[in-house]
Amino acid sequence: MKIIGAPRRRVDGRAKVTGQTRFADDLMLPRMVHCKLLRSTIPHARVVRVDVSRALAHPGVHLVLTGRDFPVSYGILPVSQDEHALAIDRVRFVGDPVAAVVARDELTAFEALDLIDVEYEPLRTFSDPEESLACPEPRIHEYGDAGNIHKLVSLRFGDVDQAFADADRVFEDTFFYQGNTHLPIEQHAAVAARDPDGKLVLWSSTQTPHYVHRALAKALAMPAAHIRVIATPNGGGFGGKSDPFNHEVVVAKAALLLDRPVKICLTREEVFHCHRGRHPVLMQFKTGVKRDGTITGMHVMTLLDGGAYGSYGVASTFYTGALQTVTYHIPAYHFQGCRVFTNKPPCGPKRGHGTPQSRFGQEIQLDKIAEGLSIDPAELRLRIVEQPDTLTANYLRVGTIGLAECIRRVTHIADWANTFGKLPLGRGVGLACSSYLSGAGLAIYWNDMPHSGVQLKLDRSGGVTAFCGATEIGQGSDDVLVGCVAEVLGIEPIDIRAVTGDTDLTPVDLGSYSSRVTLMMGNAAIQAAERARDLLAGAVSRKLTVPKDRLVFADRRVFDAGDPAAGVSFAEAVCLAETMHGTIGTTGSYTPPRSAARFKGGGVGPSPTYSYSAAIVEVDVDVSSGWIHVPRVWIAHDIGRSLNPTLVRGQVEGSVYMAVGEALMEEQIFRRLPARLSHALVHKFPSMLEYKSPTTLDMPEVITELVENPDPRGPFGAKEVGQGPLLPVMPAVANAVYDAIGVRIDEVPITPEKILRALDAKAAGKAPRVGPARFPDISWPEPLDVPPPWKSGDGKAEVRSRKSEVGSERSEVVGTDAGARRLQPSGDRS
């Protein structure tokens, strides 16, 4: 670390200028400076030497930081604390930050980056999962389940082999889902500064201020109480701003050292390097069915390309296999998942986190099953839809489920009976369904504290201020917050000021991810508002001499239901309550119900309730060029209750837009440069010029049906809508292509080139399909056996006996909620 012209802090909190830095004498805050990161040009290498002397000598440079200034690692999950703000001794992908320059302006910082000399010792580059599986050395990280395998999962619920033996037909298919990125219109940015008390403040475009706050305290070795994180309103997130990032930690450190505001705004190319987007996933589905379509059992294997760091990857692995059972009834289920490290930007959560990939495979296979059994695809799904108030094979608790009604609605409005299989060559329709969480049931750091809190302050003027840590990322969470409070208190949303996403001012909310905000924040807001209403009702009841339970809160008044003319204004009610109780402030919080799953790995998948969607997509396919056009999408979504129909429909249409991009064109792919030029494995399209996403001209007409069946677990009955409607669209496109031209594209994106290849294969008498041919051999661990509820299971893993290496019998419990632990049999006390 080298500093030029650092100001010294005076006792009164003001900065005294020394060295080369100059400020106006009457300014409380020094002028903002700008930060840029030097990123690795090598995908995998040891960092031999970093020489910053020339950069320090460059005019206008105030500070240069390297990995040695950040010895403490951090990460979003407690099991994957594998990142440093700047690389210390190893870089793991092209774009891994190595050094940081802070200068008077961005241009100066950019110029100084070119003056930093880094010497690398290249290591073997791992470019795909099969390469990482085959070669355990050199390890990209020194932790993980084996070699370059980050996570291996094997969970078995019931006797799947017997389920296949009992089936009339067994279908086995392999699918591939290419990775893609979030592409928010706003790039990542952050500003850090000391406040007048000398404490650190970070303003950041983040979805998770609580977890960024936690990561800063760890990485900077600072008391958390001396750090404030303010989540600025995001210009889009979609999961890409859910991790704590290098640039946030770097500018925070720089602001502490320089005692002045430090700003960083990533370029679009740097956003591609940050990534944390959709995992590329190879999948194999094996499903046994009866002749009527009833599923007897299912075995799912997934292989995830995780990129260079852990991120949310452990959770992502489980999510590729967790939600199959909450959509359709699967009495016996075996899931095996494997995530590997590769030398590419790290993958993480993107809208639907880990579930779109396996949903793609499952929904296409269901269409293949329907064809094999001569059953209409819609009818097949109606026969196997999971039932409400059910505990699934893997102990996920399903509450209300409107999927059957979604299927009926969407097939009706799309005229499915008269279009499926009946349109001219080149035109087709396809159906798919999905389910998704309404918030994750467990916090990232397991504890018994609430997942969301809301505080209300009621003012004598009749105004209300609502404080909550939730983050507005464009989804309308601020509107939900004030709407819930206004509904309970009988005032208008405009009467409420929302203060959100500030770790100093607001109670903790875990963040805008997993479609959790409406349900969790909404329930907390209702509880806080009901407590405030109770205080006001007591005071008004005494004034009007009427029972509290006869009072109505509406139209900015509190009045007697039996005599509406007898009442007071809301502002007067606050004054009466303040006279009786003192300053009026209330709190509300929400904690999800305890999960029924008590096995290791059961923490991923539980949710207070699940949303459901059904979509029908129409396609036009030009058989001469392979070009695919999607003119319209019909979609029905089980919303529980729509709190704001305009926002809800906006979320549905946004999901459809993103899904069309994933289905037809988006892919985060990489290429090796020629060996004579470089060892680099580089992003093929690190800009919005080449990385294709739909324009307004590509956006189909969207016909939305909202299925409302209020869920008692949601605020006023509401469920999620931010992510679930995306999931069925991609497989529906693939199914529609098959209906249109009779070829299967078992991978995304579904491009014209793949269409033409499949048509050529069909014309040559070969299988009319493009997709992966095989799933690689993986050394899976022994499965964790958990008897399903209908086999007298209690959510715990089985106790099983086996022979030890020396021949003596022992018992073991594999995977309780406290982790794996061994028990001695009663006959052995040694």
Side-chain angles (χ1 to χ4, degrees):
M1 171 185 65
K2 299 293 184 180
I3 306 175
I4 297 178
R8 295 197 303 268
R9 179 164 290 279
R10 301 204 312 218
V11 175
D12 61 4
R14 302 182 69 179
K16 180 178 180 180
V17 181
T18 61
Q20 300 175 7
T21 312
R22 295 288 182 270
F23 310 139
D25 291 339
D26 58 346
L27 291 181
M28 283 294 292
L29 283 175
R31 197 181 85 181
M32 181 182 293
V33 289
H34 297 263
C35 178
K36 283 296 171 186
L37 302 178
L38 179 69
R39 297 179 180 272
S40 171
T41 57
I42 306 293
H44 195 198
R46 291 188 181 90
V47 179
V48 177
R49 180 178 59 89
V50 181
D51 185 350
V52 302
S53 57
R54 291 195 300 144
L56 279 170
H58 190 63
V61 171
H62 293 282
L63 173 68
V64 179
L65 296 167
T66 65
R68 301 299 174 188
D69 299 304
F70 299 94
V72 181
S73 64
Y74 65 92
I76 186 64
L77 298 186
V79 296
S80 301
Q81 300 284 299
D82 58 0
E83 298 188 58
H84 288 83
L86 299 172
I88 297 177
D89 54 8
R90 179 90 69 91
V91 291
R92 295 176 170 89
F93 69 98
V94 171
D96 216 354
V98 177
V101 171
V102 180
R104 62 191 175 200
D105 53 48
E106 274 193 310
L107 180 59
T108 302
F110 265 126
E111 292 170 347
L113 292 182
D114 291 335
L115 302 177
I116 298 175
D117 299 309
V118 184
E119 180 183 347
Y120 297 105
E121 179 187 322
L123 299 171
R124 175 175 181 152
T125 299
F126 296 90
S127 61
D128 62 63
E130 292 205 45
E131 193 173 355
S132 296
L133 288 172
C135 303
E137 298 290 340
R139 298 188 74 177
I140 296 175
H141 288 283
E142 293 305 315
Y143 79 101
D145 285 352
N148 285 309
I149 296 174
H150 179 203
K151 187 64 181 176
L152 279 170
V153 178
S154 186
L155 299 173
R156 187 164 58 194
F157 308 90
D159 191 340
V160 179
D161 290 337
Q162 185 60 49
F164 290 149
D166 293 341
D168 295 320
R169 295 280 302 275
V170 176
F171 292 79
E172 194 162 354
D173 296 282
T174 307
F175 304 94
F176 177 65
Y177 201 105
Q178 181 59 271
N180 48 67
T181 199
H182 315 83
L183 216 68
I185 204 69
E186 175 203 45
Q187 293 137 233
H188 298 58
V191 175
R194 283 181 185 260
D195 69 10
D197 295 325
K199 297 177 181 178
L200 174 66
V201 184
L202 177 77
W203 294 263
S204 184
S205 176
T206 178
Q207 296 176 231
T208 54
H210 171 68
Y211 290 120
V212 172
H213 181 258
R214 189 181 189 117
L216 287 175
K218 182 175 188 285
L220 301 177
M222 283 183 65
H226 296 177
I227 301 171
R228 179 183 182 186
V229 176
I230 301 172
T232 57
N234 284 199
F238 315 115
K241 298 172 182 175
S242 299
D243 283 75
F245 282 100
N246 313 73
H247 63 274
E248 294 167 321
V249 181
V250 168
V251 295
K253 177 84 168 184
L256 292 171
L257 292 171
L258 293 174
D259 199 8
R260 58 168 62 191
V262 181
K263 177 181 179 179
I264 187 167
C265 182
L266 302 191
T267 65
R268 179 60 61 178
E269 182 174 347
E270 288 181 296
V271 175
F272 277 96
H273 291 315
C274 284
H275 193 41
R276 317 300 161 119
R278 188 86 71 216
H279 284 75
V281 178
L282 182 66
M283 300 160 276
Q284 186 172 84
F285 277 75
K286 184 177 181 181
T287 304
V289 294
K290 292 292 191 179
R291 290 186 181 89
D292 64 356
T294 303
I295 295 174
T296 62
M298 180 180 289
H299 182 192
V300 176
M301 293 189 291
T302 63
L303 175 59
L304 295 78
D305 183 342
Y309 290 97
S311 184
Y312 286 82
V314 171
S316 306
T317 306
F318 283 103
Y319 272 130
T320 60
L323 299 190
Q324 275 66 41
T325 58
V326 302
T327 318
Y328 308 110
H329 182 62
I330 303 172
Y333 182 55
H334 188 186
F335 167 61
Q336 293 174 306
C338 175
R339 185 183 192 260
V340 299
F341 291 120
T342 56
N343 295 121
K344 292 183 277 192
C347 298
K350 185 188 174 187
R351 203 172 196 167
H353 189 190
T355 65
Q357 298 94 321
S358 49
R359 178 61 51 194
F360 177 78
Q362 184 176 18
E363 293 296 317
I364 295 176
Q365 189 183 60
L366 281 176
D367 261 37
K368 294 182 180 184
I369 291 171
E371 183 179 37
L373 300 177
S374 299
I375 302 174
D376 181 272
E379 176 61 26
L380 172 67
R381 288 170 170 84
L382 285 170
R383 294 180 185 182
I384 62 175
V385 164
E386 186 56 279
Q387 297 301 303
D389 302 314
T390 297
L391 198 59
T392 68
N394 56 339
Y395 289 86
L396 302 182
R397 197 179 302 280
V398 176
T400 60
I401 173 169
L403 181 55
E405 181 62 19
C406 286
I407 296 171
R408 294 187 188 102
R409 292 260 199 108
V410 79
T411 52
H412 173 72
I413 61 175
D415 196 21
W416 173 261
N418 295 314
T419 53
F420 174 67
K422 299 174 183 177
L423 296 176
L425 179 66
R427 292 185 59 204
V429 290
L431 168 70
C433 302
S434 69
S435 57
Y436 198 64
L437 315 165
S438 290
L442 286 174
I444 290 175
Y445 289 81
W446 289 12
N447 58 68
D448 295 325
M449 292 184 286
H451 290 208
S452 186
V454 171
Q455 293 175 331
L456 299 181
K457 178 183 74 69
L458 279 65
D459 188 79
R460 298 173 187 179
S461 66
V464 175
T465 305
F467 300 88
C468 182
T471 308
E472 176 62 70
I473 61 172
Q475 84 281 39
S477 60
D478 284 2
D479 181 90
V480 171
L481 173 62
V482 300
C484 288
V485 174
E487 181 71 18
V488 173
L489 296 181
I491 57 181
E492 294 299 315
I494 193 64
D495 300 329
I496 302 169
R497 181 182 300 278
V499 178
T500 55
D502 186 326
T503 60
D504 256 19
L505 300 183
T506 63
V508 167
D509 179 275
L510 298 183
S512 292
Y513 64 92
S514 292
S515 279
R516 54 176 301 284
V517 176
T518 290
L519 188 137
M520 298 192 184
M521 178 196 71
N523 279 324
I526 289 170
Q527 185 182 78
E530 287 175 341
R531 289 171 173 172
R533 184 180 63 187
D534 189 60
L535 293 176
L536 269 59
V540 175
S541 171
R542 187 168 70 174
K543 178 179 174 63
L544 300 181
T545 63
V546 299
K548 285 172 59 175
D549 57 9
R550 271 177 43 189
L551 293 176
V552 176
F553 285 68
D555 300 325
R556 296 186 174 123
R557 295 181 67 237
V558 183
F559 55 88
D560 182 359
D563 180 13
V568 300
S569 69
F570 182 79
E572 187 179 353
V574 174
C575 292
L576 291 170
E578 188 170 340
T579 301
M580 179 182 288
H581 302 290
T583 301
I584 303 299
T586 60
T587 63
S589 59
Y590 178 78
T591 303
R594 180 178 171 84
S595 169
R598 301 175 66 187
F599 56 89
K600 187 176 182 181
V604 177
S607 178
T609 189
Y610 300 88
S611 74
Y612 295 86
S613 302
I616 292 176
V617 173
E618 180 184 350
V619 299
D620 291 332
V621 183
D622 185 333
V623 294
S624 63
S625 66
W627 191 259
I628 311 162
H629 174 57
V630 178
R632 61 190 57 83
V633 174
W634 298 268
I635 186 164
H637 183 69
D638 169 22
I639 184 65
R641 174 175 283 165
S642 176
L643 302 185
N644 184 321
T646 300
L647 287 179
V648 168
R649 290 179 185 275
Q651 286 294 300
V652 172
E653 292 175 8
S655 288
V656 170
Y657 165 82
M658 184 169 282
V660 169
E662 294 195 22
L664 299 180
M665 61 191 76
E666 294 192 39
E667 50 185 345
Q668 173 110 337
I669 56 177
F670 298 81
R671 60 189 176 92
R672 285 187 184 274
L673 294 181
R676 60 185 175 79
L677 297 178
S678 169
H679 293 279
L681 178 70
V682 297
H683 197 300
K684 193 172 182 180
F685 302 131
S687 82
M688 292 180 70
L689 291 175
E690 293 87 9
Y691 182 94
K692 301 303 180 187
S693 64
T695 68
T696 54
L697 297 178
D698 301 304
M699 182 64 183
E701 177 187 6
V702 181
I703 300 95
T704 303
E705 283 281 309
L706 300 180
V707 174
E708 295 196 76
N709 176 24
D711 190 300
R713 299 159 190 81
F716 304 116
K719 296 183 183 183
E720 78 86 34
V721 68
Q723 303 187 61
L726 174 140
L727 275 67
V729 176
M730 294 80 72
V733 170
N735 290 335
V737 167
Y738 182 74
D739 185 49
I741 58 174
V743 300
R744 282 284 176 198
I745 311 298
D746 287 343
E747 62 183 46
V748 293
I750 302 169
T751 61
E753 294 82 1
K754 294 173 185 176
I755 294 287
L756 293 178
R757 282 166 50 200
L759 287 170
D760 288 344
K762 183 179 181 181
K766 301 176 182 177
R769 174 186 180 269
V770 169
R774 53 178 287 275
F775 192 92
D777 293 329
I778 296 175
S779 296
W780 299 106
E782 280 294 312
L784 191 68
D785 281 305
V786 184
W790 42 87
K791 295 293 185 181
S792 303
D794 59 1
K796 296 180 180 178
E798 276 188 335
V799 178
R800 64 173 182 257
S801 297
R802 69 180 186 184
K803 296 291 183 178
S804 70
E805 292 180 1
V806 295
S808 62
E809 188 176 271
R810 63 182 181 179
S811 298
E812 61 177 14
V813 175
V814 186
T816 66
D817 51 4
R821 56 190 176 92
R822 293 179 178 173
L823 301 177
Q824 292 177 334
S826 57
D828 184 359
R829 300 295 183 189
S830 58

